[in-house]
Amino acid sequence: MAEQLTKLRPDRDLQCYFKEPSAIAALSQTSTSGFTVSGCWRDPFDWVVLEWNRDNVFEHPLLRNLPDGNLSGVQLSYQEVRNNCISMDSTLYPTVEWPYLRIWSDNGGVETLYDVPLYASIPGRATPIGQFTSATAVFQLGGLPTQGDYIALAWLDQQFNYCLASVDTLETALAGLAVAINQSGDGTVSASASGTQITLTYTATSGANGNRVGVYATVSGAGTETWSPGYGDFSGGISPQQWQVNLNFGALQGFIDPDRTTLVPVPTSNVRKMRWTWAADLQTGNFQRSEFSVIVTNWSVTGTSLQYQVAGPGSFRIEDSASAVTYSGGGWSNGIGNFSGGSIHWTSTVGGALQCTYNSSFNHTLYLGTRYLTSGGQVSVQVDTGPPVSLNLAVPEEDVLVRVPLGTFAGDSAHIVTVANTGSTGTYFYFDFLEIALPTYDLPDLAVFATATLATDWDTNHSIALAPERTAWLIQKLGFRGRANHYAGALWFYELCRPGMQFASATITFSGNPEFGQITIVNLGGTVIQHVNLISDTAATVALCFALLINAGSNSVRAEVDGAVLTITARSLGTAGNGLTICPTANNSTANTTPLTAQSSGPTLTGGIDGKCADPNGSFWRTDLAANPPINRAARDWSVAFYTALNAYGIQPTASFSMELQNGDDSVATGIAQRYPNCDPVWLTTPSLQTNFGPVSTTFWQQVYCEMARLMTQAGVAPYLQFGEVQWWYFPGPTATIATEPGMPFYDAHTTETFQATYGQPMAVILNQFADPSQLPQECAFLPGLIGTFTKTIRSFVIASFPSARFEVLYPPDVNDTALNHVINLPLGDWTPTNLACFKTENFTYTAERNVDLVRQSIRLPGQLGFPSSQSSHLVGISDYTTPWQKEQQIATGARMESVVLFALDQFCLIGYSLPLARSGRWARLLGV
């Protein structure tokens, strides 16, 4: 039976995104019945979302579902467990939309965002599995009872005291205080006294919410009584970890008003997008990096209209570059990129239009391939003599390629499509394609390529945003069975830290005597927090009271006390916390001879520092070289699931790292950057820092490779690791001119000092890659040796723990095509067939230059170095559809290499290259490979 796609399937139809750059998150362990979202919080306001999107852009056009936003007949149920996330029943103010399922849906032709509450407003949609445990606080009364003394307990805006009579003991006094709390309180707390101990139970909300509320205890008068402790938080409140969620999409209600006060029906017959949100849990102190997970089980989708359709046999696209499309009205531009067919046209000129005439032998559905974005405009679409239809392409804060259905049309006749930009000047209409689709429920079975594969890159959404099982399925479903090449990336796989970051803060110093019944106020950024002074209050207890009030529910700040000094600290990192206004007011009557005063350290919170100086990307985040493990939780979980899925398809995975780190610390003191002679670090346009071969860098990378080997072993596969472009950077610094060259990147401290120690003289300043190696014999012997030592050290380190681990190198002959680069970046003493399982080449420049002769030389290189075809591989860049990359693939396949890698999966799918790939044995023989 042919494979089919269904809506809301976790391993085929959901995506994961996160707050960049601080958070990191990914899907893993996905199936038809569940999934895990896991990662790391690094900022108190971090979040992650799980998205369903009608306008799927990820699969290859042969496998990509046609847009279908009808969820009105769908019922979804699942069970969810959150770890280190704000809980389902939390009463915290939602700084992000974690209490809601957000639905972007068509409402009478206008897209409307609905916030569907999952728990708080409609109990029953999410119900706990398990019991709540209420939070409690226990206080002990000691000392000696004295007639006329007051004992008191206070929390939030509730305050209770008891005046001791002559006959009172400590026990009867506590019993009297408990009666006062139970009879006069607002019901948020109940009290029970037993001997000299009183237990407060927080009943306003069950579970963990009560743990944020603090209580403080005072005595006044002679003060012979004592409390232990003097203050403390409610504790022991437990909310169930597991929740049952039931969503009937035909009967949902949500908020559309900003205040979220009125529930309205949610139309779900044309939903564009949905997002579930999870957020970092509130921490009591300064925020510390922490891992999290959301585990969803028993995911069940039932109801009607569950199956997707795809464009079946007989379907075709008319690309923007096709001769059948004519453009008029002026203002048209075009460009190459990850668009259908590899190109796209656009105009911001009012009246800019296109027309296309096409024929189809079958009845079909017609789609317009275009783009939603903030600056999108209005277009008028007319098919044949039908009435013009207006489409609004403006979607705030979005930029996504979409297919808009234009209707169903008869076959065996010509059709004329006219599209005109009718929007205002400066708004854009993008034209990508017209799709003539013959819908079918069945996915095609495609030809298998035993030695070809599509590379994956965790820096792209085709990896990091998708379920790893979906990415693996996509590779094998497209017919690729060659050894997989997974680039772990340069942007997201590692842990981050913010060295030098400081939180903003301010202090309020209280002094004098609080007057009973008077109100003391702290205004924080317009939020008024007030306290009615107790008869037993002191300046210190007033400070304590405000600390407890702030910590009970503030998302923006936290507080602590030292005597009568209240310190308020922003939760936001660095300078984001600066500027929050703070204004305390202490009210006194004229009768108070020692009035209470409240003096702030300034009008705002200050002192927030973002960290060490920003890198060239403007970021203060740095790769945490000391993190253990060095690969973050999201990357670990995704990788294990990906390798497990590939292995189940019989595909051997290979994990690759380069020398690049987007957040690498380029300081001289840290010592990981390659450097030019003027000491400038080597920053690439990735954007990333090119790391060096020194001891700090080597230690970090050997831990990274070893951890990846562990993850591959955990997935049940033998570790296969790639040194991906482990090279000296190929060019002089970015400020190079013909007249003045800043030189090549060989001048970090380790390299220069080791050269000096080895040869007794400084290394020569090499101006550019065209230097003559014969004039630099020592440098040309020394520099490749550092690369060889680096790769040997890492191999030895990994193999010590994982003896079956194999290694390959990825070498680019094109950027090493000068005599100097060829010598310094090819450590022949270490990169041998004995030490390496495979030698892989790539040549993006040759491909872009359409130079097939140089491509052929690149493919021959492994054999010239002694690597047999079974230990040779080639990687082909496919980003530009106008290049002869398919010819290159044919040449490599004809050379009978162990594997041929197309880089990469995202480009292959987004451009929609044709399948099957051309067979190539005869072609290769004709070319003499």
Side-chain angles (χ1 to χ4, degrees), residues 656-732:
S656 171
F657 296 95
S658 65
M659 298 298 289
E660 300 176 39
L661 295 173
Q662 176 181 227
N663 299 97
D665 189 338
D666 66 2
S667 66
V668 173
T670 299
I672 65 169
Q674 292 187 19
R675 294 188 178 276
Y676 301 111
N678 64 358
C679 207
D680 284 349
V682 178
W683 281 97
L684 313 182
T685 57
T686 314
S688 60
L689 180 74
Q690 183 83 347
T691 57
N692 61 30
F693 303 103
V696 178
S697 180
T698 300
T699 297
F700 170 75
W701 285 112
Q702 68 183 12
Q703 294 293 338
V704 168
Y705 280 89
C706 195
E707 176 64 10
M708 187 58 79
R710 185 190 70 79
L711 297 174
M712 300 185 89
T713 302
Q714 182 181 335
V717 300
Y720 203 133
L721 303 167
Q722 180 191 105
F723 296 114
E725 295 182 352
V726 174
Q727 313 261 273
W728 296 106
W729 186 238
Y730 312 103
F731 311 107

Side-chain angles (χ1 to χ4, degrees), residues 709-766:
R710 185 190 70 79
L711 297 174
M712 300 185 89
T713 302
Q714 182 181 335
V717 300
Y720 203 133
L721 303 167
Q722 180 191 105
F723 296 114
E725 295 182 352
V726 174
Q727 313 261 273
W728 296 106
W729 186 238
Y730 312 103
F731 311 107
T735 59
T737 66
I738 295 176
T740 171
E741 300 274 10
M744 295 294 280
F746 313 138
Y747 300 92
D748 61 274
H750 170 75
T751 301
T752 56
E753 290 169 5
T754 305
F755 185 93
Q756 176 79 42
T758 302
Y759 295 102
Q761 64 185 40
M763 186 163 57
V765 175
I766 303 175

Side-chain angles (χ1 to χ4, degrees), residues 590-675:
T590 56
N592 190 350
T593 57
T594 54
L596 179 70
T597 62
Q599 182 62 49
S600 65
S601 57
T604 65
L605 270 62
T606 60
I609 299 174
D610 287 325
K612 296 170 68 174
C613 60
D615 64 25
N617 307 317
S619 175
F620 292 90
W621 292 100
R622 297 290 185 269
T623 302
D624 189 346
L625 301 176
N628 184 22
I631 299 176
N632 64 52
R633 171 72 182 274
R636 297 198 309 270
D637 290 355
W638 192 96
S639 297
V640 170
F642 183 54
Y643 303 146
T644 301
L646 286 173
N647 190 43
Y649 292 124
I651 299 172
Q652 166 70 49
T654 303
S656 171
F657 296 95
S658 65
M659 298 298 289
E660 300 176 39
L661 295 173
Q662 176 181 227
N663 299 97
D665 189 338
D666 66 2
S667 66
V668 173
T670 299
I672 65 169
Q674 292 187 19
R675 294 188 178 276

Side-chain angles (χ1 to χ4, degrees), residues 10-33:
D11 58 349
R12 297 289 185 271
D13 200 29
L14 301 176
Q15 294 79 241
C16 175
Y17 304 102
F18 51 88
K19 181 187 175 188
E20 300 179 10
S22 51
I24 185 68
L27 281 159
S28 63
Q29 302 300 318
T30 66
S31 67
T32 58
S33 61

Side-chain angles (χ1 to χ4, degrees), residues 795 830-837 866-867 871:
R795 282 202 321 276
D830 186 62
W831 292 5
T832 68
T834 301
N835 293 335
L836 299 175
F867 288 84
Q871 287 181 260

